[in-house]
Amino acid sequence: MLQAGIPSPIVSLLENWYSKLLVKVRWGSCFSYCFSVTSGVRQGSVLSPSLFNIFINLFVVQLRQLDIGCHINSLFIGCLLYADDMLLICPSVSGLQNMLDLCMSISSDLSLQFNPSKSHCIAVGKSVKFVITPLTMVDISIPWVQSIKYLGVVINYGKALNFNTESVRRSFFSACNCI
């Protein structure tokens, strides 16, 4: 947080506040004993999204410095984030592996874990029919798939970028009809 420019008195206040955080787990009508929370942000806190954004920004900054992912003019779009979902975009397979390796290194430093079983690769462009080298995350192969779902939108592989928003539209209209 200090590296992100947050004043040290605020960092000290948050550190003090979070170091005293105790929680109980409720299961039905039963409660667990109190225990200390040593990582993460408070669920439901107004401050939590901002704290998480400061934390996750380390990935974006270092990926941008790697200078491998996709750019539109000078705008880096090689890493798209929403909450704890990350989408890496790169024009080359070797570049994408370098981006993955950097993310794994950062996550190791921050005591985070990526879940390789929830990770997928998709190819878009002229070379989608060619055999593509498998990417790895912690020595686990990440499968190449024909479509992925990101934030409710289905992205399909092919020679051109193709989105399917039908399920999102259906959910939206269903919610509108309930009003």
Side-chain angles (χ1 to χ4, degrees):
M1 291 177 80
L2 293 171
Q3 289 176 347
I6 308 298
S8 61
I10 293 175
V11 173
S12 296
L13 175 83
L14 290 170
E15 185 178 18
N16 186 306
W17 182 35
Y18 270 86
S19 68
K20 296 175 181 168
L21 185 62
L22 297 174
V23 296
K24 288 183 180 183
V25 175
R26 185 181 80 190
W27 188 357
S29 60
C30 299
F31 288 89
S32 71
Y33 293 106
C34 282
F35 60 94
S36 177
V37 177
T38 58
S39 65
V41 292
R42 294 182 61 190
Q43 283 190 321
S45 170
V46 175
L47 189 57
S48 293
S50 297
L51 292 174
F52 182 76
N53 286 341
I54 291 167
F55 183 74
I56 204 72
N57 192 50
L58 290 168
F59 288 94
V60 179
V61 168
Q62 290 195 29
L63 284 166
R64 186 182 301 137
Q65 288 173 351
L66 195 59
D67 200 31
I68 293 179
C70 287
H71 292 79
I72 296 178
N73 293 328
S74 61
L75 179 66
F76 175 70
I77 59 160
C79 177
L80 302 178
L81 294 163
Y82 182 80
D84 63 347
D85 288 330
M86 182 183 291
L87 182 66
L88 298 177
I89 306 170
C90 191
S92 73
V93 176
S94 62
L96 189 56
Q97 182 64 61
N98 288 339
M99 292 174 79
L100 272 172
D101 293 342
L102 178 65
C103 286
M104 297 311 299
S105 173
I106 296 167
S107 66
S108 176
D109 292 345
L110 298 175
S111 299
L112 289 176
Q113 289 185 343
F114 281 94
N115 187 346
S117 68
K118 289 186 176 182
S119 301
H120 307 284
C121 298
I122 189 167
V124 176
K126 295 181 276 185
S127 60
V128 296
K129 296 280 183 185
F130 297 106
V131 175
I132 302 174
T133 306
L135 298 179
T136 59
M137 185 185 298
V138 226
D139 298 327
I140 297 172
S141 218
I142 301 173
W144 288 90
V145 295
Q146 294 189 5
S147 66
I148 59 170
K149 192 172 188 177
Y150 185 70
L151 304 178
V153 175
V154 176
I155 304 170
N156 298 309
Y157 91 108
K159 293 194 182 293
L161 192 57
N162 180 322
F163 298 98
N164 182 345
T165 59
E166 190 59 37
S167 65
V168 174
R169 289 179 57 218
R170 241 190 329 250
S171 295
F172 173 76
F173 290 129
S174 176
C176 288
N177 288 333
C178 291
I179 297 176

